[in-house]
Amino acid sequence: MTQYVWGYLPEYEKERTDILDAVDTVFRSGQLVLGRSVKAFEREFADHHGLAHCVGVDNGTNAIVLGLRALGVGPGDEVITVSNTAAPTVVAIDAVGAVPVFVDIDPETYLMNVDQVSAAITARTRCLLPVHLYGQCVDMAPLEALADRHGLVILEDCAQAHGAVHHGRIAGSMGRAAAFSFYPTKVLGAYGDGGATITDDPEVDARLRRLRFYGMEDRYYVVETPGHNSRLDEVQAEILRRKLTRLDGYLARRREIADRYAEAFAGTDVVTPVTAPGNTHVYYVYVVRHPRRDELLAGLKEHGIELNISYPWPVHEQSGFRHLGYRPEDLPVTSRVAKEIFSLPMYPSLSDAEQERVIETVRDVAGRL
């Protein structure tokens, strides 16, 4: 059975020589932990975002955890975010002892409805955590204004938005800090887990560096504040350095694929993504909607095409977060959208022929519903 999920193997075949050279470079360096490759990647990734600092960590979840801790968010603090996100966003908030507070999403972009944030702010609110979902940015100007007015910090969740631009500013450059994931399926993906937190604030950078290394200033000395063992691996850092130079090419191909989908499904019941004003979308995933989503996916499966849903269960409806006390009707747009969205294949190594097969099959199955 054919399963269109992601393009790891075709990408690896195309880039295999460089990837293996990256591995060999690290193994021959004599530095396997926090060595030259991590330092170089941190410098290059920070430069890519026009910021002073980047701290490589072991995964995207801990990029948020350490980001929150470095910003002073802790037990009892409230963090305003969305339920339409990957669960790790909220898991990270819970991990520092803070309380996630959800606002609903825009019905067209599925991004945070920033008009609801002001009403959600309380005396306990410490942080705004916008999720730049699916490859485009939340409207940041209203959030920045609220943060300034109420003395809040902004931590951007950029796990799905490498290279996305919002009114001329790149994702990750608009908050006090920003967290990235380099999970293999990401726009900029490693060959295993990886993450980073970036900032222009030297004090936040210093805290991040301590927190990712047990709370120590240097190797195996004195713990100042208990931290984590959350270091980016040297091999993954070297691979990411090589792939960062190819990021523009990855993005161009994703936009080609997105344009072809948009043209193919125009005038059908398949609702294609809406790009918010001022945004440059990078299409981490190509999320569409259909009123009979489950029937459509079942029909596609009969033709050997299994597609992903991002995300079928909003965080506020999951059993692990039942203690927060939210009901589905508290976030009506989030709950409604979750019943209709699904993702079409989107990765740079997707061939034109593979995409055309998906398009033809989706149009055929949807047309018979």
Side-chain angles (χ1 to χ4, degrees):
M1 177 177 291
T2 302
Q3 187 171 16
Y4 295 97
V5 179
W6 61 311
Y8 157 71
L9 290 176
E11 177 191 272
Y12 178 66
E13 289 304 317
K14 183 178 180 180
E15 301 181 357
R16 182 173 183 271
T17 299
D18 193 38
I19 298 302
L20 293 181
D21 182 68
V23 175
D24 190 59
T25 295
V26 172
F27 286 175
R28 289 178 180 274
S29 73
Q31 294 181 302
L32 301 182
V33 178
L34 294 184
R36 290 188 294 246
S37 293
V38 167
K39 290 183 176 67
F41 174 71
E42 289 176 338
R43 181 178 62 252
E44 292 156 5
F45 198 66
D47 288 346
H48 181 77
H49 292 84
L51 298 180
H53 309 287
C54 168
V55 179
V57 298
D58 53 346
N59 57 65
T61 306
N62 280 338
I64 300 175
V65 170
L66 271 60
L68 290 169
R69 289 195 61 187
L71 293 172
V73 179
D77 291 334
E78 292 180 348
V79 178
I80 298 176
T81 190
V82 291
S83 176
N84 182 42
T85 183
T89 302
V90 186
V91 168
I93 295 170
D94 182 76
V96 302
V99 180
V101 175
F102 299 123
V103 295
D104 215 344
I105 59 174
D106 180 271
E108 291 190 338
T109 64
Y110 319 134
L111 299 171
M112 173 184 277
N113 185 336
V114 295
D115 292 337
Q116 295 187 8
V117 174
S118 180
I121 294 174
T122 73
R124 295 173 57 193
T125 305
R126 173 63 181 154
C127 177
L128 307 180
L129 205 167
V131 181
H132 299 319
L133 197 68
Y134 302 150
Q136 67 171 325
C137 295
V138 172
D139 185 10
M140 292 297 293
L143 296 185
E144 292 172 280
L146 285 171
D148 288 343
R149 188 180 313 139
H150 295 276
L152 308 176
V153 293
I154 295 177
L155 176 63
E156 299 174 70
D157 182 341
C158 300
Q160 302 186 7
H162 307 74
V165 175
H166 177 64
H167 291 290
R169 297 191 293 172
I170 191 168
S173 68
M174 296 173 279
R176 183 86 173 276
F180 288 82
S181 168
F182 304 121
Y183 187 77
T185 60
K186 301 301 184 185
V187 175
L188 180 64
Y191 278 66
D193 275 318
T197 309
I198 62 176
T199 183
D200 233 9
D201 188 322
E203 294 182 1
V204 174
D205 172 65
R207 292 185 208 116
L208 286 166
R209 293 188 185 280
R210 288 194 295 269
L211 287 168
R212 75 155 174 200
F213 194 72
Y214 310 111
M216 299 177 182
E217 287 284 356
D218 207 341
R219 297 177 186 272
Y220 305 110
Y221 290 154
V222 177
V223 172
E224 294 193 1
T225 302
H228 306 255
N229 179 5
S230 300
R231 302 166 296 208
L232 178 63
D233 181 78
E234 275 287 294
V235 171
Q236 302 303 340
E238 185 62 30
I239 291 172
L240 287 166
R241 291 189 66 200
R242 314 290 181 97
K243 294 187 71 176
L244 183 60
T245 66
R246 298 190 282 270
L247 180 59
D248 287 347
Y250 298 152
L251 298 182
R253 177 58 181 161
R254 286 176 179 273
R255 291 187 182 112
E256 287 178 6
I257 294 169
D259 288 345
R260 191 174 295 117
Y261 278 139
E263 181 179 358
F265 294 114
T268 72
D269 289 337
V270 178
V271 180
T272 54
V274 172
T275 301
N279 274 354
T280 301
H281 208 309
V282 298
Y283 299 103
Y284 163 61
V285 282
Y286 194 86
V287 174
V288 298
R289 290 175 70 180
H290 192 278
R292 300 171 68 179
R293 190 263 317 272
D294 293 344
E295 294 172 73
L296 176 55
L297 293 186
L300 292 173
K301 188 173 182 180
E302 292 177 0
H303 288 79
I305 297 177
E306 297 184 57
L307 300 181
N308 189 41
I309 301 173
S310 300
Y311 298 95
W313 302 285
V315 176
H316 75 289
E317 296 183 16
Q318 296 179 23
S319 60
F321 295 98
R322 190 174 294 130
H323 64 282
L324 297 175
Y326 286 90
R327 302 165 300 171
E329 57 267 30
D330 292 331
L331 303 170
V333 180
T334 297
S335 294
R336 182 173 71 251
V337 163
K339 296 177 174 61
E340 297 183 353
I341 55 174
F342 63 100
S343 304
L344 296 178
M346 171 58 73
Y347 44 88
S349 57
L350 181 71
S351 71
D352 291 350
E354 288 173 324
Q355 185 181 11
E356 188 57 35
R357 178 174 177 244
V358 171
I359 289 170
E360 290 179 355
T361 308
V362 171
R363 286 179 63 97
D364 176 61
V365 174
R368 290 187 278 107
L369 291 178

